[in-house]
Amino acid sequence: MKEMKNQTTHTLFLVEPVAFAFNHQTAVNNFFQQNEPSANGSVGEEARKEFHQMADILRAKGVEVIIEKDSLSPHTPDSIFPNNWISFHEDGRVAIYPMFAENRRMERSSHILTTLVDRGFSIRHITNYSGYEKESKFLEGTGSLVLDRVHRTAYAALSERTDKELVYRFCRDFEYAPVIFHAYQTVNGKRCPVYHTNVMMCVADRYAVVCLQSIDSLWEREVLVHSLVRHGKDIIEISEKQMHCFAGNMLQVATKEGKQLLLMSQSAYDSLTKQQRIRLLAYNEIVATPLPVIEKHGGGSIRCMIAEVFLPQQF
């Protein structure tokens, strides 16, 4: 398998929302979503404010942020979460993914590829899995796949949005070893699949934040722990209650100077214990930003909003 030097990148791709709203098509299996009116105005306006505040904070910290503005037509209420339809890899390859919700499939656009090439990034090949939508098979990017890029391991919690066959297909194509399991959350007294892997775990350079409580199978839990420990990760466990505050939806990124940052929402930060914060701060600075409207109505947090750009640069 190929090896990569860095788990993190300092270049992030974001999509500025223009019509953000509660998406009924995704709410059928995203139990983090809540369809409630905003206390401070329209949901879309509040989401844009949160988005720009986050982008400004990242830039101020020395992270390169590339923003593509969404359009009003077609209506794509979840365009703020681009990591589900595209991923960029260090060998110059790009992956395009099959999406569960029909209105999310319209988010896919080739314009961002042109923007990246114009900025000097090299795209060698595009692997397009979107045709599997015709077979009702889905794999929603780095929502479905939490990648340990250095150790070439892809962690995947199976759900309606994460098809086992497609996990194996991605791993063959991109030379990753799969670690597959089932993760659940309690909804109205029932155990329901967690819709995306990246809301229950985050893999950083030297540690992993994981909600082990969500993995009901003790054997699958042990396989996951063994893989993380074998690759030198310090496991920082979070509870299911903390997962519901998006404490699993973190992302480690780098600054242009090479400093490591751990991005999370304010709700995720507030849910952490003092000891958990101390352990995380031993590895990197924590950067927290408030995203209450995006989290409540979109059912995703800061990691979902970011597509990491690992593509090589030509100049």
Side-chain angles (χ1 to χ4, degrees), residues 155-170:
Y155 297 93
L158 300 181
S159 70
E160 287 185 280
R161 306 201 196 178
T162 304
D163 180 82
K164 187 175 184 179
E165 176 188 333
L166 292 189
V167 174
Y168 284 122
R169 175 67 185 271
F170 170 88

Side-chain angles (χ1 to χ4, degrees), residues 215-280:
I215 305 175
D216 293 349
S217 166
L218 295 180
W219 180 81
E220 289 184 344
R221 189 183 301 182
E222 181 60 31
V223 169
L224 173 62
V225 169
H226 175 75
S227 177
L228 292 170
V229 171
R230 183 166 62 92
H231 294 134
K233 307 297 184 186
D234 177 16
I235 297 177
I236 301 174
E237 188 174 355
I238 57 172
S239 67
E240 187 173 332
K241 183 177 180 180
Q242 290 174 316
M243 179 183 74
H244 289 157
C245 295
F246 294 98
N249 200 239
M250 303 173 177
L251 180 66
Q252 189 185 47
V253 303
T255 67
K256 296 173 186 176
E257 292 73 32
K259 180 182 178 181
Q260 303 290 355
L261 307 174
L262 179 63
L263 309 184
M264 66 181 72
S265 70
Q266 190 63 48
S267 63
Y269 180 83
D270 292 342
S271 77
L272 298 176
T273 66
K274 180 180 179 181
Q275 186 58 35
Q276 287 170 326
R277 293 174 188 170
I278 290 172
R279 291 178 68 186
L280 291 170

Side-chain angles (χ1 to χ4, degrees), residues 17-255:
V18 297
F20 176 84
F22 180 87
N23 188 347
H24 292 275
Q25 292 187 22
T26 58
V28 296
N29 53 28
N30 179 346
F31 304 110
F32 290 81
Q33 289 179 247
Q34 302 173 50
N35 191 12
E36 299 176 2
S38 172
N40 301 315
S42 79
V43 168
E45 290 175 359
E46 291 301 310
R48 278 193 297 276
K49 290 178 183 177
E50 292 175 2
F51 173 88
H52 284 293
Q53 182 179 15
M54 182 195 79
D56 290 344
I57 289 172
L58 293 176
R59 287 186 173 123
K61 289 292 182 179
V63 179
E64 182 179 358
V65 177
I66 300 172
I67 296 178
E68 188 85 0
K69 189 171 183 177
D70 193 17
S71 59
L72 287 171
S73 181
H75 177 55
T76 50
D78 278 331
S79 61
I80 198 171
F81 304 130
N83 81 307
N84 298 144
W85 69 265
I86 194 167
S87 63
F88 308 101
H89 299 265
E90 66 280 0
D91 60 356
R93 286 191 290 174
V94 174
I96 308 294
Y97 298 95
M99 308 286 285
F100 171 81
E102 289 187 16
N103 63 7
R104 292 215 61 193
R105 299 170 192 175
M106 296 182 291
E107 296 172 24
R108 294 190 291 251
S109 169
S110 61
H111 188 260
I112 180 56
L113 302 180
T114 302
T115 299
L116 291 174
V117 170
D118 289 345
R119 286 174 174 255
F121 290 97
S122 177
I123 296 176
R124 180 174 65 85
H125 182 74
I126 297 174
T127 302
N128 191 342
Y129 300 108
S130 63
Y132 282 98
E133 290 165 352
K134 297 177 182 178
E135 302 176 33
S136 295
K137 294 179 179 179
F138 313 108
L139 185 70
E140 298 195 336
T142 52
S144 294
L145 302 163
V146 173
L147 303 178
D148 181 341
R149 294 175 183 266
V150 174
H151 299 98
R152 311 300 295 179
T153 304
Y155 297 93
L158 300 181
S159 70
E160 287 185 280
R161 306 201 196 178
T162 304
D163 180 82
K164 187 175 184 179
E165 176 188 333
L166 292 189
V167 174
Y168 284 122
R169 175 67 185 271
F170 170 88
C171 288
R172 286 196 302 269
D173 291 345
F174 285 83
E175 299 183 57
Y176 277 79
V179 176
I180 297 174
F181 53 94
H182 298 80
Y184 300 91
Q185 63 188 120
T186 301
V187 182
N188 297 324
K190 297 181 180 180
R191 296 295 274 171
C192 300
V194 173
Y195 80 105
H196 275 162
T197 314
N198 75 0
V199 294
M200 54 76 60
M201 72 179 295
C202 157
V203 172
D205 56 353
R206 293 180 289 164
Y207 64 91
V209 178
V210 190
C211 180
L212 293 177
Q213 288 180 359
S214 69
I215 305 175
D216 293 349
S217 166
L218 295 180
W219 180 81
E220 289 184 344
R221 189 183 301 182
E222 181 60 31
V223 169
L224 173 62
V225 169
H226 175 75
S227 177
L228 292 170
V229 171
R230 183 166 62 92
H231 294 134
K233 307 297 184 186
D234 177 16
I235 297 177
I236 301 174
E237 188 174 355
I238 57 172
S239 67
E240 187 173 332
K241 183 177 180 180
Q242 290 174 316
M243 179 183 74
H244 289 157
C245 295
F246 294 98
N249 200 239
M250 303 173 177
L251 180 66
Q252 189 185 47
V253 303
T255 67

